Short mmCIF file of all heavy atoms in Angstrom, two decimals:
data_model
loop_
_atom_site.label_atom_id
_atom_site.label_comp_id
_atom_site.label_asym_id
_atom_site.label_seq_id
_atom_site.Cartn_x
_atom_site.Cartn_y
_atom_site.Cartn_z
N LYS A 1 -1.31 -9.20 1.12
CA LYS A 1 -2.67 -8.77 0.84
C LYS A 1 -2.67 -7.62 -0.19
O LYS A 1 -1.77 -6.73 -0.16
CB LYS A 1 -3.38 -8.25 2.11
CG LYS A 1 -3.61 -9.34 3.17
CD LYS A 1 -4.52 -10.43 2.72
CE LYS A 1 -4.70 -11.48 3.78
NZ LYS A 1 -5.59 -12.57 3.34
N THR A 2 -3.61 -7.61 -1.09
CA THR A 2 -3.78 -6.51 -2.01
C THR A 2 -5.10 -5.81 -1.81
O THR A 2 -6.04 -6.39 -1.26
CB THR A 2 -3.73 -7.03 -3.46
OG1 THR A 2 -4.84 -7.93 -3.68
CG2 THR A 2 -2.45 -7.71 -3.76
N GLY A 3 -5.20 -4.55 -2.14
CA GLY A 3 -6.42 -3.78 -1.93
C GLY A 3 -6.19 -2.35 -2.38
O GLY A 3 -5.28 -1.99 -3.07
N TRP A 4 -7.11 -1.50 -1.91
CA TRP A 4 -7.15 -0.07 -2.32
C TRP A 4 -7.07 0.84 -1.08
O TRP A 4 -7.70 0.55 -0.11
CB TRP A 4 -8.37 0.22 -3.12
CG TRP A 4 -8.57 -0.65 -4.35
CD1 TRP A 4 -9.13 -1.91 -4.45
CD2 TRP A 4 -8.12 -0.33 -5.64
NE1 TRP A 4 -9.10 -2.30 -5.72
CE2 TRP A 4 -8.49 -1.39 -6.51
CE3 TRP A 4 -7.46 0.77 -6.19
CZ2 TRP A 4 -8.21 -1.39 -7.86
CZ3 TRP A 4 -7.15 0.76 -7.57
CH2 TRP A 4 -7.55 -0.30 -8.38
N LEU A 5 -6.42 1.94 -1.25
CA LEU A 5 -6.38 2.97 -0.24
C LEU A 5 -7.07 4.23 -0.86
O LEU A 5 -6.59 4.77 -1.91
CB LEU A 5 -4.95 3.35 0.17
CG LEU A 5 -4.82 4.50 1.13
CD1 LEU A 5 -5.49 4.21 2.48
CD2 LEU A 5 -3.38 4.84 1.33
N GLU A 6 -8.14 4.66 -0.27
CA GLU A 6 -8.85 5.80 -0.84
C GLU A 6 -8.08 7.10 -0.53
O GLU A 6 -7.56 7.31 0.61
CB GLU A 6 -10.27 5.93 -0.24
CG GLU A 6 -11.09 7.01 -0.92
CD GLU A 6 -12.56 6.91 -0.58
OE1 GLU A 6 -12.95 6.04 0.21
OE2 GLU A 6 -13.33 7.71 -1.14
N ILE A 7 -7.98 7.95 -1.53
CA ILE A 7 -7.30 9.23 -1.38
C ILE A 7 -8.12 10.11 -0.46
O ILE A 7 -9.36 10.08 -0.48
CB ILE A 7 -7.08 9.87 -2.73
CG1 ILE A 7 -6.10 9.07 -3.59
CG2 ILE A 7 -6.60 11.31 -2.61
CD1 ILE A 7 -6.07 9.46 -5.03
N GLU A 8 -7.44 10.83 0.36
CA GLU A 8 -8.16 11.78 1.27
C GLU A 8 -9.09 12.68 0.47
O GLU A 8 -8.71 13.27 -0.50
CB GLU A 8 -7.14 12.67 2.02
CG GLU A 8 -7.77 13.66 3.00
CD GLU A 8 -8.40 12.95 4.19
OE1 GLU A 8 -8.00 11.83 4.54
OE2 GLU A 8 -9.35 13.59 4.71
N GLY A 9 -10.32 12.74 0.87
CA GLY A 9 -11.30 13.53 0.16
C GLY A 9 -12.03 12.80 -0.97
O GLY A 9 -12.96 13.32 -1.58
N GLY A 10 -11.63 11.58 -1.21
CA GLY A 10 -12.29 10.76 -2.20
C GLY A 10 -11.88 11.09 -3.65
O GLY A 10 -11.01 11.93 -3.92
N GLY A 11 -12.51 10.42 -4.56
CA GLY A 11 -12.28 10.67 -5.97
C GLY A 11 -11.44 9.63 -6.66
O GLY A 11 -11.64 9.36 -7.85
N GLN A 12 -10.47 9.07 -6.01
CA GLN A 12 -9.57 8.05 -6.58
C GLN A 12 -9.11 7.12 -5.45
O GLN A 12 -9.17 7.45 -4.27
CB GLN A 12 -8.39 8.61 -7.29
CG GLN A 12 -8.76 9.36 -8.61
CD GLN A 12 -7.51 9.73 -9.38
OE1 GLN A 12 -6.39 9.19 -9.11
NE2 GLN A 12 -7.68 10.57 -10.38
N LYS A 13 -8.64 5.94 -5.87
CA LYS A 13 -8.06 4.98 -4.92
C LYS A 13 -6.69 4.54 -5.44
O LYS A 13 -6.48 4.45 -6.65
CB LYS A 13 -9.00 3.74 -4.79
CG LYS A 13 -10.37 4.10 -4.15
CD LYS A 13 -11.21 2.83 -4.05
CE LYS A 13 -12.55 3.13 -3.43
NZ LYS A 13 -13.40 1.89 -3.30
N LEU A 14 -5.84 4.24 -4.53
CA LEU A 14 -4.44 3.82 -4.78
C LEU A 14 -4.33 2.32 -4.63
O LEU A 14 -4.68 1.78 -3.59
CB LEU A 14 -3.44 4.54 -3.90
CG LEU A 14 -3.52 6.07 -3.94
CD1 LEU A 14 -2.47 6.65 -2.94
CD2 LEU A 14 -3.21 6.60 -5.34
N PRO A 15 -3.80 1.57 -5.63
CA PRO A 15 -3.64 0.12 -5.51
C PRO A 15 -2.39 -0.24 -4.69
O PRO A 15 -1.30 0.23 -5.05
CB PRO A 15 -3.47 -0.34 -6.95
CG PRO A 15 -2.94 0.83 -7.66
CD PRO A 15 -3.39 2.06 -6.96
N LEU A 16 -2.57 -1.06 -3.68
CA LEU A 16 -1.52 -1.45 -2.80
C LEU A 16 -1.35 -2.94 -2.68
O LEU A 16 -2.33 -3.69 -2.84
CB LEU A 16 -1.76 -0.91 -1.37
CG LEU A 16 -1.94 0.59 -1.13
CD1 LEU A 16 -2.24 0.83 0.36
CD2 LEU A 16 -0.70 1.33 -1.55
N THR A 17 -0.15 -3.39 -2.43
CA THR A 17 0.14 -4.73 -1.95
C THR A 17 0.90 -4.60 -0.61
O THR A 17 1.92 -3.88 -0.60
CB THR A 17 0.98 -5.58 -2.94
OG1 THR A 17 0.25 -5.74 -4.13
CG2 THR A 17 1.29 -6.92 -2.36
N LEU A 18 0.42 -5.23 0.38
CA LEU A 18 1.11 -5.25 1.70
C LEU A 18 1.69 -6.61 1.91
O LEU A 18 1.02 -7.64 1.84
CB LEU A 18 0.13 -4.89 2.82
CG LEU A 18 -0.69 -3.63 2.71
CD1 LEU A 18 -1.46 -3.42 3.99
CD2 LEU A 18 0.25 -2.41 2.43
N ILE A 19 3.00 -6.68 2.17
CA ILE A 19 3.69 -7.93 2.44
C ILE A 19 4.24 -7.86 3.84
O ILE A 19 5.09 -7.02 4.18
CB ILE A 19 4.85 -8.12 1.45
CG1 ILE A 19 4.27 -8.18 0.03
CG2 ILE A 19 5.61 -9.42 1.78
CD1 ILE A 19 5.36 -8.05 -1.05
N CYS A 20 3.68 -8.71 4.74
CA CYS A 20 4.05 -8.73 6.15
C CYS A 20 4.89 -9.99 6.36
O CYS A 20 4.40 -11.05 6.32
CB CYS A 20 2.80 -8.76 7.01
SG CYS A 20 3.15 -8.59 8.77
N GLY A 21 6.20 -9.77 6.68
CA GLY A 21 7.07 -10.90 6.78
C GLY A 21 6.80 -11.77 7.98
O GLY A 21 6.25 -11.32 9.03
N ALA A 22 7.17 -13.04 7.83
CA ALA A 22 7.00 -13.94 8.92
C ALA A 22 7.85 -13.62 10.12
O ALA A 22 7.54 -13.89 11.27
CB ALA A 22 7.29 -15.36 8.44
N LYS A 23 8.97 -12.89 9.84
CA LYS A 23 9.86 -12.44 10.91
C LYS A 23 9.77 -10.90 11.03
O LYS A 23 9.53 -10.21 10.04
CB LYS A 23 11.29 -12.85 10.64
CG LYS A 23 11.49 -14.37 10.55
CD LYS A 23 12.96 -14.69 10.25
CE LYS A 23 13.16 -16.19 10.18
NZ LYS A 23 14.59 -16.51 9.86
N GLU A 24 9.94 -10.43 12.26
CA GLU A 24 9.92 -8.96 12.44
C GLU A 24 11.15 -8.27 11.83
O GLU A 24 12.25 -8.87 11.71
CB GLU A 24 9.85 -8.67 13.95
CG GLU A 24 8.53 -9.09 14.57
CD GLU A 24 8.41 -8.64 16.03
OE1 GLU A 24 9.51 -8.54 16.69
OE2 GLU A 24 7.32 -8.43 16.54
N GLY A 25 10.97 -7.03 11.43
CA GLY A 25 12.07 -6.30 10.86
C GLY A 25 11.55 -4.92 10.38
O GLY A 25 10.40 -4.56 10.68
N PRO A 26 12.40 -4.17 9.71
CA PRO A 26 12.00 -2.84 9.28
C PRO A 26 11.00 -2.90 8.13
O PRO A 26 10.73 -3.93 7.52
CB PRO A 26 13.32 -2.22 8.77
CG PRO A 26 14.15 -3.40 8.39
CD PRO A 26 13.76 -4.47 9.34
N THR A 27 10.38 -1.74 7.81
CA THR A 27 9.37 -1.63 6.76
C THR A 27 9.95 -0.83 5.61
O THR A 27 10.44 0.30 5.80
CB THR A 27 8.10 -0.95 7.33
OG1 THR A 27 7.55 -1.78 8.30
CG2 THR A 27 7.08 -0.73 6.26
N MET A 28 9.85 -1.40 4.41
CA MET A 28 10.26 -0.73 3.19
C MET A 28 9.03 -0.39 2.40
O MET A 28 8.09 -1.14 2.21
CB MET A 28 11.10 -1.69 2.36
CG MET A 28 11.31 -1.26 0.88
SD MET A 28 12.51 0.09 0.76
CE MET A 28 14.06 -0.85 0.95
N MET A 29 8.97 0.85 1.92
CA MET A 29 7.94 1.30 1.01
C MET A 29 8.54 1.47 -0.37
O MET A 29 9.60 2.08 -0.52
CB MET A 29 7.24 2.58 1.43
CG MET A 29 6.23 3.10 0.47
SD MET A 29 5.59 4.76 0.89
CE MET A 29 4.73 5.12 -0.61
N ILE A 30 7.83 1.00 -1.41
CA ILE A 30 8.24 1.15 -2.80
C ILE A 30 7.07 1.70 -3.57
O ILE A 30 5.97 1.15 -3.54
CB ILE A 30 8.73 -0.16 -3.41
CG1 ILE A 30 9.74 -0.85 -2.53
CG2 ILE A 30 9.32 0.09 -4.81
CD1 ILE A 30 10.16 -2.28 -3.01
N SER A 31 7.28 2.80 -4.30
CA SER A 31 6.15 3.41 -5.05
C SER A 31 6.55 3.42 -6.55
O SER A 31 7.76 3.47 -6.90
CB SER A 31 5.84 4.78 -4.59
OG SER A 31 6.98 5.69 -4.69
N ALA A 32 5.59 3.47 -7.39
CA ALA A 32 5.77 3.59 -8.85
C ALA A 32 4.63 4.43 -9.40
O ALA A 32 3.59 4.69 -8.72
CB ALA A 32 5.79 2.21 -9.53
N GLY A 33 4.78 4.88 -10.64
CA GLY A 33 3.69 5.56 -11.28
C GLY A 33 3.37 6.95 -10.78
O GLY A 33 2.22 7.44 -10.98
N VAL A 34 4.30 7.63 -10.16
CA VAL A 34 4.10 9.02 -9.82
C VAL A 34 3.88 9.80 -11.04
O VAL A 34 3.00 10.73 -11.10
CB VAL A 34 5.32 9.55 -9.00
CG1 VAL A 34 5.24 11.10 -8.86
CG2 VAL A 34 5.36 8.89 -7.58
#
């Protein structure tokens, strides 16, 4: 799923893609554009 996460206090939103695997396992976060 893709969508937006609003920054605390508003003003901007962060673009996200969430990939939920068919099998259970750990969660990896990857960021870009800092």
Side-chain angles (χ1 to χ4, degrees):
K1 297 294 180 180
T2 61
W4 301 88
L5 175 64
E6 186 167 4
I7 294 167
E8 181 67 27
Q12 289 190 15
K13 296 180 179 180
L14 303 177
L16 301 178
T17 297
L18 306 185
I19 300 167
C20 186
K23 298 180 181 179
E24 292 185 332
T27 296
M28 167 75 78
M29 177 188 168
I30 310 173
S31 62
V34 168

